[in-house]
Amino acid sequence: MTVESEPQLLPRGELAADVLPAAARLLGCTIEADTPDGQVAVRLVEVEAYRGADDPASHSYRGRTPRNEVMFGPPGFLYVYFVYGMHFCANVTCLDDGDAGAVLLRAGEVTSDLGVARARRPTARRDADLARGPARLASLLGLGREHNGVDVTDPASPVRLLAGPPVDPATIRSGPRVGVVAAADLPWRFWLDGSPAVSPYRPGRVRDRSVTLRPK
């Protein structure tokens, strides 16, 4: 009889890498969170990479601020931000301590109790839509401002990143990031081919200056 091993946390050292290999490594990993309704977990199927001073689409492009400080390390922490005055989005930091970089968690497939997930996202039309898009993913996991700076490599953390087996490189696709205007053509969005939870591509557009631009 084969005994299945317990899922292991992703080691911090695997995130102490440039944003592109770190993003690809996160595909297939599971992020789980303790919510008021019970534990919710999703297998990551879509992510976006954001680097520091050489990436004008990144929050850290103009340097360290109280808002983006988590992006400057160490790796393995959540960087959570509020967007459009409505939604939270979550990133996992990477690169070495002091170098700004993070990977936006764009979409995932639910691997925990679907009943709990559906109760948390009752407006989702399909199970594939439960964590399809960064705001939905964060909402499903109950991630908010209080989770900014949480260590996802700590077993005692309320949000944990579990190491899935590395995915077959042949199943990884890449393309432009969604909704950004600056550095719009960089193929820094990565996803698993064939997953119904991958969000649709929408190019960025310049918004009216009276409206806050979508941050990354």
Side-chain angles (χ1 to χ4, degrees), residues 25 57 152:
R25 178 63 186 100
V152 295

Side-chain angles (χ1 to χ4, degrees), residues 207-213:
R207 294 176 175 272
D208 188 291
R209 289 301 179 184
S210 64
V211 180
T212 302
L213 289 175

Side-chain angles (χ1 to χ4, degrees), residues 22-140:
R25 178 63 186 100
L26 285 173
L27 291 174
C29 292
T30 295
I31 186 160
E32 63 179 19
D34 300 326
T35 79
D37 303 302
Q39 189 179 99
V40 179
V42 299
R43 177 176 179 259
L44 296 172
V45 298
E46 183 185 10
V47 296
E48 278 179 349
Y50 289 87
R51 203 185 276 139
D54 64 343
D55 181 4
S58 173
H59 282 178
S60 57
Y61 180 59
R62 291 180 174 85
R64 189 190 299 255
T65 69
R67 181 196 186 206
N68 67 22
E69 187 169 7
V70 175
M71 288 189 73
F72 287 80
F77 287 77
L78 278 186
Y79 169 52
V80 181
Y81 64 83
F82 198 49
V83 61
Y84 293 152
M86 296 184 294
H87 308 298
F88 287 100
C89 295
N91 305 251
V92 172
T93 60
C94 52
L95 288 169
D96 293 323
D97 192 7
D99 293 328
V103 177
L104 175 66
L105 309 181
R106 282 206 56 87
E109 299 170 346
V110 175
T111 58
S112 55
D113 188 320
L114 279 172
V116 172
R118 291 169 186 151
R120 290 193 54 76
R121 291 267 300 119
T123 58
R125 295 182 179 180
R126 307 175 301 152
D127 290 344
D129 295 331
L130 288 167
R132 188 174 184 237
R136 292 173 178 173
L137 185 152
S139 175
L140 178 66

